[in-house]
Amino acid sequence: MRRAALLALLALGLLACAHLAASLPSQSAVLKRKRGKKRAAAEQRQLAERDWVAASVQRYLSNQELGDWLAGFEKRCKAVAKLSTIGTSAEGRPIWALEISDRPGQAEAEPAVKYVGNVHGDEPTGRVFTLALAEWLCANHKTDPRAKRIVQSMHLWLVPTMNPDGFERRSRGNSQGQDLNRDFPDRFSSPAMQPSGQEQPEVAAMMAWSQSVGFVASASMHEGALVANYPWDGTADRSTRYENCPDDATFRHLASLYATTHKRMAQPDNPEFPNGGTTNGAAWYPIYGSMQDWNYIVGRCFELTLELSQNKWPDEPGLAALWEDNKDSLLAFPLAAAYGGLWGTVREEGSLRGSKGREVAPLGGANITVLATATGEEQPAWVLSREGRGDYYRPLAPGRYTVVVSKAGYKPFAANFTVPADGSGAQRHFVLAREGSNWGGEVAHAPRFLAGGAPEDASAAAAGGGGSLLPWKAAIGLNGSGEAGQLWTAEQTRSRDRLVMLGAGAVCVYGLWITHSRLKRRSHPRRM
């Protein structure tokens, strides 16, 4: 009787396992159909969002239309955007600044980079490209690795127009006739580059805002040539010649990166700059009171001046093509400037528990001094770790360097490092010891990591990076909710179904074997 019951139980178990195994493929097919429908819906939503990119490059918006567009963008993309004003023009028009980040408006241990358009009123493509870049990032930050890194790893600020009055008049200067790119404090007339108090409202607003944010890098957009321009902009004797700044190698590297990632700037058929599409400002023609030089000295910000079209006021039908020429460069520059050099944190013995049992806390105001190992030449010691967070970002060209981290009251700490040529940068986290301590400090060589990225070789990045020079690979797809996730192929889905069926069968067999063992023990008569 018991044997018959056991056989019946085994038969029922096998039937249940067979039914489960038979139902898995159909269930998997249903799940795949549902997943496909959700993916298609997500792709339709993204397609609708991408229509905003196309619309943004159709024509030049008036100042009123620009403000309305920015307000609408903030509502549509509120998860990654925050709109503010940094001041007003001489005639009272707002100067808008759009912040793009996964936590806009919040202070984070992340770098800030800015793009400024329409510095000259009659050079308007910056008004278009900043909008297009914002719309593209909003539409693609869940699927494109470059967009995802920018949104999740930094705060990108976009100023469509610094000179709304000049745009209204289609004039180079503002409403007072002043060229805003000659109105900043100049290093020759004022070595400390202190403001005179006579600066135009647009310039005063830009200086105050830039210093309050603390940008790592920036670029201003102009027209009239096709070239990436870098400091210095002027010479002491006002002659036209190459005037290199202390960070000349880094500026040449960043300018070359923008030009070579651009579709046409570095091509030999560039009529004015056929040898790579870059120039030192003073070697082109010297100017004084430029925003670029002020940013470098006072703002501690590595700025390029980008000339994006040979036509001062490009025709509207050609704006979409100009955007495509510049898109990859506009994405590559902020990542390379912020993360392609040396970056990390500085900490001290403090209030937080460290991995080695030592108490550590963020240390602000530490001086990051970089020496070129080959020459021993000191680079400008302008980079400081930020208060409250201790993070720092030092743009550098590829090469071998020595870094010295110091602050009054602490033991200085030195370390050698290499900035690789593939653009991945060098991440170093320093812990400083207080003076009088028996401990001498340390440096952590943390693996390079940002959300959405994993290391890959540089050749693959160069071949398939789509303009991004940072060698990370993100396996990004759409999951059922339209979020970034793993995208399964048909073969991977079949393999997964087989594994599920085998696992279910193994569980059934194991359960039946346990049941059989227990019944078998009960079937033996007890010994008296």
Side-chain angles (χ1 to χ4, degrees):
M1 188 68 180
R2 288 175 181 170
R3 186 179 297 277
L6 178 60
L7 290 174
L9 183 60
L10 285 171
L12 288 173
L14 290 173
L15 285 173
C17 289
H19 176 72
L20 177 62
S23 65
L24 276 174
S26 61
Q27 290 176 2
S28 177
V30 171
L31 289 174
K32 284 190 287 186
R33 284 195 297 271
K34 289 182 178 179
R35 189 180 297 114
K37 289 180 180 179
K38 290 182 178 179
R39 186 184 299 116
E43 290 172 350
Q44 287 298 319
R45 288 196 301 271
Q46 288 188 349
L47 183 61
E49 289 172 340
R50 290 191 180 99
D51 288 342
W52 287 102
V53 180
S56 68
V57 295
Q58 292 303 304
R59 64 186 182 89
Y60 300 111
L61 301 180
S62 69
N63 287 321
Q64 180 61 51
E65 290 172 329
L66 176 63
D68 293 342
W69 187 297
L70 291 170
F73 176 85
E74 184 184 31
K75 291 180 181 178
R76 286 186 286 106
C77 302
K78 60 184 178 181
V80 298
K82 182 177 177 61
L83 183 63
S84 59
T85 59
I86 64 173
T88 56
S89 68
E91 291 188 336
R93 293 185 175 90
I95 301 174
W96 300 106
L98 183 65
E99 181 185 8
I100 304 294
S101 170
D102 60 344
R103 291 185 175 89
Q106 299 182 32
E108 295 185 279
E110 293 180 354
V113 179
K114 70 178 186 289
Y115 281 116
V116 180
N118 204 201
V119 177
H120 292 140
D122 60 350
E123 298 174 14
T125 61
R127 298 168 66 97
V128 176
F129 295 161
T130 49
L131 287 187
L133 181 59
E135 294 289 359
W136 193 90
L137 290 171
C138 178
N140 292 280
H141 74 275
K142 293 180 180 179
T143 56
D144 186 274
R146 297 168 297 172
K148 186 173 184 179
R149 291 173 196 133
I150 288 173
V151 170
Q152 293 191 353
S153 69
M154 69 174 60
H155 290 253
L156 180 66
W157 290 84
L158 306 172
V159 180
T161 177
M162 182 181 165
N163 189 0
D165 297 352
F167 175 81
E168 196 80 10
R169 290 169 169 77
R170 198 163 174 167
S171 64
R172 181 180 180 87
N174 68 351
S175 61
Q176 307 304 306
Q178 178 64 49
D179 186 332
L180 300 183
N181 203 35
R182 308 294 189 274
D183 195 48
F184 285 80
D186 183 68
R187 65 192 181 103
F188 298 111
S189 58
S190 172
M193 299 188 81
Q194 294 300 312
S196 65
Q198 302 301 311
E199 288 79 15
Q200 294 296 308
E202 298 90 342
V203 172
M206 181 60 66
M207 291 193 297
W209 175 63
S210 296
Q211 290 183 288
S212 68
V213 175
F215 291 98
V216 173
S218 75
S220 63
M221 302 179 187
H222 298 256
E223 286 79 61
L226 197 59
V227 68
N229 177 100
Y230 54 90
W232 295 118
D233 267 334
T235 58
D237 59 3
R238 298 185 173 265
S239 63
T240 301
R241 67 168 185 273
Y242 196 110
E243 185 80 353
N244 62 299
C245 70
D247 277 295
D248 185 67
T250 297
F251 274 111
R252 284 189 285 109
H253 169 68
L254 293 175
S256 179
L257 177 141
Y258 192 95
T260 54
T261 314
H262 189 280
K263 294 290 193 299
R264 296 186 298 114
M265 189 176 288
Q267 296 301 313
D269 60 354
N270 184 336
E272 193 172 0
F273 301 95
N275 297 319
T278 68
T279 185
N280 172 261
W284 187 14
Y285 62 90
I287 66 173
Y288 303 87
S290 70
M291 183 165 68
Q292 177 174 266
D293 284 4
W294 179 88
N295 266 296
Y296 178 50
I297 295 177
V298 181
R300 296 173 179 172
C301 170
F302 287 65
E303 178 164 291
L304 299 180
T305 301
L306 304 174
E307 303 281 347
L308 302 179
S309 170
Q310 294 165 314
N311 186 348
K312 280 278 190 179
W313 192 290
D315 294 335
E316 290 179 338
L319 291 175
L322 286 177
W323 156 248
E324 289 299 328
D325 286 347
N326 284 277
K327 181 182 72 176
D328 289 342
S329 299
L330 292 171
L331 294 168
F333 171 74
L335 286 168
Y339 289 110
L342 174 67
W343 68 278
T345 57
V346 181
R347 295 181 177 271
E348 63 166 329
E349 296 173 290
S351 60
L352 300 175
R353 177 64 61 184
S355 60
K356 295 185 178 181
R358 185 177 295 113
E359 300 283 335
V360 295
L363 180 62
N367 203 336
I368 315 300
T369 304
V370 175
L371 309 174
T373 302
T375 63
E377 181 182 354
E378 180 175 330
Q379 308 297 305
W382 292 341
V383 175
L384 303 174
S385 59
R386 294 196 290 180
E387 295 294 340
R389 298 184 290 278
D391 57 323
Y392 71 91
Y393 307 90
R394 179 62 163 89
L396 286 169
R400 181 74 174 163
Y401 300 92
T402 297
V403 61
V404 178
V405 184
S406 61
K407 185 177 181 179
Y410 297 84
K411 295 180 181 179
F413 188 87
N416 296 323
F417 68 97
T418 298
V419 174
D422 62 15
S424 57
Q427 181 183 171
R428 299 293 184 270
H429 301 280
F430 298 95
V431 182
L432 296 187
R434 294 180 180 274
E435 288 183 351
S437 170
N438 293 328
W439 175 55
E442 67 183 22
V443 58
H445 299 241
R448 186 70 180 89
F449 176 79
L450 289 176
E456 70 167 90
D457 62 77
S459 59
S468 173
L469 299 186
L470 299 177
W472 305 315
K473 181 179 181 181
I476 304 297
L478 289 175
N479 60 23
S481 63
E483 301 285 336
Q486 178 68 41
L487 188 62
W488 292 86
T489 65
E491 181 60 35
Q492 287 173 319
T493 303
R494 286 192 293 271
S495 298
R496 181 185 60 184
D497 292 343
R498 294 190 195 103
L499 290 173
V500 171
M501 287 187 288
L502 288 173
V507 170
C508 289
V509 171
Y510 178 77
L512 292 172
W513 179 76
I514 292 295
T515 302
H516 169 71
S517 298
R518 289 179 177 176
L519 289 174
K520 187 176 182 180
R521 284 198 300 270
R522 291 178 182 177
S523 66
H524 291 295
R526 290 185 179 180
R527 294 183 180 181
M528 301 301 294

